[in-house]
Every structure is written in C-alpha cells, then in structure tokens.
Amino acid sequence: MYRRAVLSRTITLVVALFCTAVSANAVAREFRTADTQNEDYPTVQALRYMGRMVAERTGGRHQMQVFHSRQLGEEKETLEQTRAGAIDLNRTNVALIGTIVPAVNVLAMPFLFRSVEHLQKVLDGPIGSELLNSFEAHGFVGLAFYDSGARSIYNSVRPVRTVEDLKGLRLRVQQSQQMSAMIRALGAEPIELPYGQVLTGLATKLIDGAENNWPSFVTTGHYKYAGYYTLTEHTVSPEVLVISLKAWGSLTPEEQQIFREAAQRSSLFMREKWRDLEEQSRKQAEAAGVKIVGDFDRKPFEAAMAPLYANAQRDPAITALIERIRKVE
Ligand code: GTR
C-alpha cells in the first residue's frame, strides 16, 4: 500500500516536471538584439555569430534578430528599453551601462590598464565574471564583454601634443558623467552626445572633436572632419552584452547555458575580427591624410586625470576593485 502510494506520487512528480520542461521549451522566440554600430562592425558580426550558435543548439527554436546601426535607438534609450524588457539583448559600451551599474564604470577608468592584454586577463578572469554577475541587481543579466581597443582624442582644430593644447576644445563624449569628468579634467569642454549625432556635430562645427577607437573613428566617417588623432589611449573601456531579466526568465536553465556559452564564444570571435580592423582603420585614416600624433609625453595627461581616482576613493568597494585590477599580472 505504502509503496504504491510512493510510486504514484513519484510518477505524478515526474510527469509534472516533464510537462513544465516541455512547455518552457515549446515557446520558440526571436530575440530582439540592439547594437549601435553598422552592419559590418565586429560587434554586430559577433552577435550574428552568437545567433547562429543559439539557433543551432536550440534546434532552431530560438533566433536572434540583430538590429544594427541604431535601428532601435541610441544606447542610452535602448538600455532603458532593455531594462524594461522591450528589447531582449543589447550590446553597448561599458561607459553607457556604467551609469546604471556603477562598478562596471571602473573598466572605463583612465590609464587603469597597462595594455590590452592586461584588460583581457581581467575580463577573462574572476573579476570579469564577478562584474557580469553584478548586473542582475540593476535589471540586466551580463553575458559577455568584448574588448575594443584603446580610445584616443581626435579633433579638427590642431595637433594636440600637450594638455594645454586641449584648452577650450569642445569634445564630444558618450552620455556618461565619468567620460565628461575625464575630458573636463584635461581642460577641454565635454559635450555629451549620442553616437549618431557626432558626425553632424563635427560637420557643423558644433563640436571640435571627440574620442574613440580606430574602427569607430573610421567606420563612422569622423576621420573626414577631424584630421588630428592624438594617441592618448586614455581608456580601454570595453563593450558588454546584456540580456533583459524578462528574456532571461523565459529560458530554461539549459537554454540559459546555451546563451551564456554562445555569448562567450562570440567574444573570442570578435577578438579575431578586431585586430585586423584596428590596423586597417588606422591605415585608411592615414591614407586619407589624418595626422597621427604619437610622439608626445602621455604622463601629463595621466596626471591631469588623477582626480578621478581621488574621487573613486570615496567608495571602498570601488577602491578595492581598482586595486585588484592593478594587481592582475
Ligand atoms: C564605440 C562603441 C559604441 C559607442 C560609441 C560611442 O566605440 O562601440 O558602443 O559607445 O563608441 O562613442 O558612443
């Protein structure tokens, strides 16, 4: 009697579990994915690569539809929409999401990383995982980082060699207080603008320049208006891919694992693409007559930005994170 009752309870449980799994799996979906860059850009290619992997591993049940070139809006807005669950996945720069997830702003701090290799070690190691895990408390699930080289300052007025040369220049920055603070610390005037407005800003002289990595400088056409590129390499702020809590919650644990793995793989895929494009973009800018300023002392730029660290020291957790990053060999 007793054994039969246990057996029937077990069968009921197994059937219930099976039904739950089947119903969760049965909902096929197309995941709307946002990226600000154009169709050929490495981040967009990486997302497409991830989409193929997700489709394959879920037997075609789940697809990713990649909206590039700001089709879904500028990063600040698409992040809000992702938080609200209206956009499923979003690839932005950490400077933007850092306004919502403060710890991630550390990755954009000036002159923190000794090299791109140092950044990659941090992103691929425990600190990178901890940072990705910290997104959840702020309304996203962090899936992967994509490193995207160093950002440098460019302008249309003069070759910048010293901090003094920056005085009075109106430089566009991302919509981020930290990026504004960095440019202000150098004595220039930061103008926060969405990415899509920078080209017109340069063409109409609303701004004198901006700061970005080689591929962004060239693929946007900014190099046609800003002929002086100074290798300040003041930040190596990487990109990050997040998924909305709503989309994440619609996946089974197995599917979540598939998304995570595909995102991580796409990050390695992007690394391959990146190196070539960085080199190619620099050559294209040079061929178009852009003057690259590399023979200057970077130390005064670093010193001018030091107040950002003094400011960060007000938060013990941020201070500890900066210290840990510095110690990564
Ligand atoms: C690029 C980055 C974009 C965007 C842009 C900007 O390097 O890939 O996501 O943040 O910079 O400056 O707005």
Side-chain angles (χ1 to χ4, degrees):
M1 229 4 231
Y2 172 76
R3 283 181 57 191
R4 261 180 48 197
V6 170
L7 189 66
S8 97
R9 264 215 310 267
T10 313
I11 290 172
T12 314
L13 193 70
V14 168
V15 169
L17 280 173
F18 180 73
C19 289
T20 316
V22 166
S23 66
N25 272 332
V27 195
R29 275 198 62 184
E30 201 154 79
F31 290 78
R32 284 155 54 90
T33 307
D35 193 307
T36 190
Q37 298 283 12
N38 67 33
E39 190 159 14
D40 301 326
Y41 203 82
T43 50
V44 176
Q45 290 187 48
L47 293 174
R48 291 226 163 108
Y49 171 92
M50 173 179 169
R52 286 194 293 275
M53 194 173 273
V54 165
E56 200 178 290
R57 296 220 181 142
T58 60
R61 268 196 324 277
H62 295 321
Q63 317 271 342
M64 276 167 61
Q65 195 182 359
V66 182
F67 294 89
H68 52 83
S69 313
R70 296 178 294 286
Q71 288 166 341
L72 297 181
E74 297 283 359
E75 290 185 332
K76 192 165 180 253
E77 285 76 42
T78 58
L79 276 175
E80 282 310 331
Q81 289 184 46
T82 311
R83 191 141 75 147
I87 291 177
D88 300 311
L89 289 106
N90 199 345
R91 196 291 305 161
T92 71
N93 187 256
V94 293
L96 271 294
I97 207 162
T99 61
I100 306 173
V101 187
V104 89
N105 253 339
V106 169
L107 296 175
M109 283 293 273
F111 302 105
L112 174 60
F113 295 92
R114 297 180 298 276
S115 61
V116 169
E117 289 68 38
H118 180 198
L119 171 72
Q120 290 178 349
K121 277 239 170 90
V122 170
L123 297 182
D124 297 348
I127 299 180
S129 312
E130 281 166 37
L131 282 171
L132 286 178
N133 289 338
S134 75
F135 281 66
E136 214 154 324
H138 303 276
F140 308 94
V141 173
L143 290 180
F145 288 110
Y146 302 97
D147 49 294
S148 56
R151 296 174 78 103
S152 287
I153 295 175
Y154 48 90
N155 83 98
S156 61
V157 180
R158 53 181 169 257
V160 168
R161 279 205 169 73
T162 64
V163 174
E164 287 66 43
D165 291 337
L166 284 168
K167 280 256 146 50
L169 290 186
R170 291 160 60 83
L171 299 182
R172 176 270 173 175
V173 288
Q174 291 151 299
Q175 292 168 286
S176 138
Q177 274 186 9
Q178 179 167 298
M179 293 308 290
S180 276
M182 274 159 79
I183 292 304
R184 202 172 298 113
L186 292 173
E189 189 187 337
I191 313 281
E192 288 190 20
L193 279 181
Y195 197 41
Q197 288 179 25
V198 185
L199 187 65
T200 316
L202 287 168
T204 58
K205 303 242 181 273
L206 167 76
I207 49 173
D208 299 312
E211 50 84 55
N212 222 315
N213 51 44
W214 282 112
S216 295
F217 177 55
V218 171
T219 56
T220 50
H222 297 176
Y223 73 107
K224 294 181 185 155
Y225 295 95
Y228 303 107
Y229 192 97
T230 301
L231 290 167
T232 48
E233 301 186 333
H234 50 278
T235 175
V236 289
S237 65
E239 325 282 10
V240 65
L241 177 66
V242 293
I243 182 167
S244 76
L245 285 178
K246 190 171 159 206
W248 191 245
S250 75
L251 298 171
T252 64
E254 296 76 35
E255 290 168 341
Q256 291 179 347
Q257 192 52 29
I258 290 172
F259 270 72
R260 255 194 212 292
E261 270 173 36
Q264 299 289 342
R265 292 272 203 99
S266 75
S267 164
L268 299 177
F269 170 88
M270 146 95 181
R271 245 173 226 181
E272 298 279 307
K273 300 262 162 225
W274 186 259
R275 263 182 250 130
D276 291 347
L277 185 63
E278 214 171 27
E279 182 62 22
Q280 195 187 308
S281 306
R282 184 187 171 127
K283 284 196 180 134
Q284 193 177 331
E286 257 180 316
V290 170
K291 168 122 188 51
I292 302 170
V293 182
D295 56 337
F296 69 101
D297 187 6
R298 209 178 268 118
K299 282 271 171 294
F301 288 80
E302 211 174 318
M305 286 183 170
L308 271 97
Y309 285 93
N311 205 21
Q313 260 170 11
R314 290 203 216 128
D315 184 333
I318 297 289
T319 309
L321 182 57
I322 290 173
E323 278 318 303
R324 275 178 71 204
I325 289 177
R326 286 206 167 113
K327 281 195 190 122
V328 174
E329 288 296 331

